[in-house]
Amino acid sequence: MVVCPRCGEPALYAPSNPARPFCSMRCKQIDLGAWANEEYRVPDTTPELPPDDDTA
């Protein structure tokens, strides 16, 4: 048993559970939709470059 990453309920982590590691196909589809909507993002920590003042 593992914790469903979507709802936190117990989920069977075995080949008999086609939705693993989720507890149900519903949780799996909700998570897939979140990925498709780009809700899971890694923040961009790249510092901004200073403006190019080379106007010569």
Side-chain angles (χ1 to χ4, degrees):
M1 297 298 281
V2 295
V3 175
C4 176
R6 187 71 201 161
C7 71
E9 294 294 318
L12 179 64
Y13 193 81
S16 61
N17 177 7
R20 72 178 181 268
F22 302 96
C23 65
S24 66
M25 289 304 288
R26 180 177 184 272
C27 280
K28 186 175 184 175
Q29 293 295 342
I30 291 170
D31 190 73
L32 178 62
W35 276 103
N37 289 331
E38 298 181 354
E39 293 174 21
Y40 300 123
R41 292 177 162 235
V42 176
D44 182 13
T45 58
T46 306
E48 286 190 32
L49 295 174
D52 189 13
D53 290 337
D54 195 20
T55 58

